Amino acid sequence: MLGDEAEAEDVLQETFLSAFKSIDSFEGRASLSTWLHRIATNAALMRLRKRQPLSFSVDEVTEPGNGNLIPKVFYDWCCLPESELMTQEVRDEMRAAVENLPDTLRVVFLMRDVEGFSTQETADILDLSLSAVKSRLMRARMALRERLSAYFGGAASADMEGTRYE
Amino acid sequence: MSEKHAHRDCSHLLAGLSAYIDGEAEAALCAEIEQHLAACENCRVVVDTLRRTVLLYREEQPAPLPEGGEAAPVQSVRTG
Ligand SMILES: [Zn+2]
């Protein structure tokens, strides 16, 4: 029994190691992507080692309300030119936004949206139900959107003030 | 916006927006969301910026995963 579990763990570990082998080739680029991949790897490996629920494993069904989902910032930054979206400052903000997510949401977001695992794969690896993966992904994305919207909204109003006073 | 609609729909639909931008929402929910978006500017902004948020992080992805990892459907995050 124990052997089976250890074996299963080895298989998973192997999957991860091959999936993340690509990271090395990007070491030269001290970029956000490198960082994102690295923390995704760490999170996943740590999870594999422990095989225990993430810090709070309350299933989403029992989680209270959608309080943290309600958007507060409606600044429409989606059509800003690439040149304004892909600055170092924006990358720093994106990074801070990910860092700020609760562990439970961060690991799901990284696996789904950064590493590109399917909902099913993410559920299998993290021992979560499909609905829990979907729900956490949604919460993570909404939290990131909120933070980036506040950032771009703030930048926009700062620009306007700049123009006004110049 | 002139069309009268219930703003409680906003919070009711929020939970479905993430699946919606992935193209994974069920047909009925999809239709409900689209109908709501036609009348609700705020939700439209949320959908557009939510989609853009996901794309921003995905654009940071340097290369496709090696064999074995089934990539999430990047294309299905519609840009329109
Ligand atoms: Zn709405």
Side-chain angles (χ1 to χ4, degrees):
Chain A
M1 201 59 118
L2 197 68
D4 284 352
E5 276 173 36
E7 196 177 349
E9 195 160 320
D10 282 347
V11 172
L12 270 175
Q13 193 118 12
E14 222 169 283
T15 309
F16 265 102
L17 291 179
S18 68
F20 292 117
K21 229 184 277 172
S22 57
I23 296 168
D24 287 343
S25 36
F26 305 108
E27 289 295 347
R29 251 178 77 185
S31 63
L32 175 62
S33 60
T34 308
W35 178 80
L36 285 169
H37 281 273
R38 189 169 294 134
I39 58 171
T41 314
N42 289 345
L45 289 178
M46 210 150 59
R47 174 85 187 102
L48 284 176
R49 228 168 274 138
K50 289 185 185 160
R51 294 309 282 171
Q52 66 191 20
L54 293 163
S55 44
F56 46 97
S57 74
V58 192
D59 204 78
E60 256 53 27
V61 185
T62 65
E63 273 182 17
N66 280 342
N68 55 351
L69 268 183
I70 305 298
K72 292 178 195 66
V73 184
F74 300 99
Y75 174 69
D76 191 358
W77 54 273
C78 83
C79 301
L80 287 177
E82 267 321 92
S83 60
E84 280 179 54
L85 289 178
M86 293 324 259
T87 65
Q88 188 55 49
E89 203 187 315
V90 171
R91 287 198 172 87
D92 290 345
E93 189 64 21
M94 288 168 65
R95 181 188 188 125
V98 168
E99 265 172 331
N100 209 41
L101 289 174
D103 293 345
T104 48
L105 303 190
R106 190 193 304 115
V107 67
V108 170
F109 169 74
L110 290 171
M111 294 190 67
R112 287 284 287 110
D113 280 341
V114 175
E115 300 300 339
F117 285 102
S118 69
T119 302
Q120 182 69 59
E121 288 165 334
T122 306
D124 290 346
I125 292 164
L126 299 177
D127 251 346
L128 291 170
S129 66
L130 289 175
S131 67
V133 170
K134 288 179 192 168
S135 169
R136 286 181 192 192
L137 178 64
M138 164 189 77
R139 280 157 203 279
R141 286 170 165 181
M142 292 296 271
L144 295 171
R145 187 212 74 88
E146 195 67 24
R147 176 147 181 168
L148 292 183
S149 294
Y151 168 78
F152 286 118
S157 56
D159 278 355
M160 269 186 274
E161 270 171 46
T163 344
R164 202 180 328 146
Y165 293 117
E166 262 167 24
Chain B
M1 281 298 270
S2 58
E3 191 182 327
K4 200 171 159 65
H5 73 286
H7 271 289
R8 63 188 152 79
D9 286 353
C10 299
S11 50
H12 166 66
L13 292 176
L14 276 174
L17 296 184
S18 173
Y20 173 73
I21 65 165
D22 284 338
E24 286 175 5
E26 284 169 27
L29 176 61
C30 215
E32 201 181 337
I33 290 174
E34 269 160 18
Q35 193 182 359
H36 179 80
L37 291 181
C40 182
E41 177 66 19
N42 276 357
C43 283
R44 201 154 52 218
V45 170
V46 169
V47 166
D48 286 346
T49 52
L50 186 65
R51 186 181 284 139
R52 198 74 181 90
T53 297
V54 173
L55 285 173
L56 270 188
Y57 282 99
R58 287 192 186 167
E59 281 164 15
E60 283 297 323
Q61 208 160 348
L65 281 174
E67 72 288 356
E70 265 179 52
V74 177
Q75 313 87 316
S76 68
V77 175
R78 282 164 275 175
T79 47

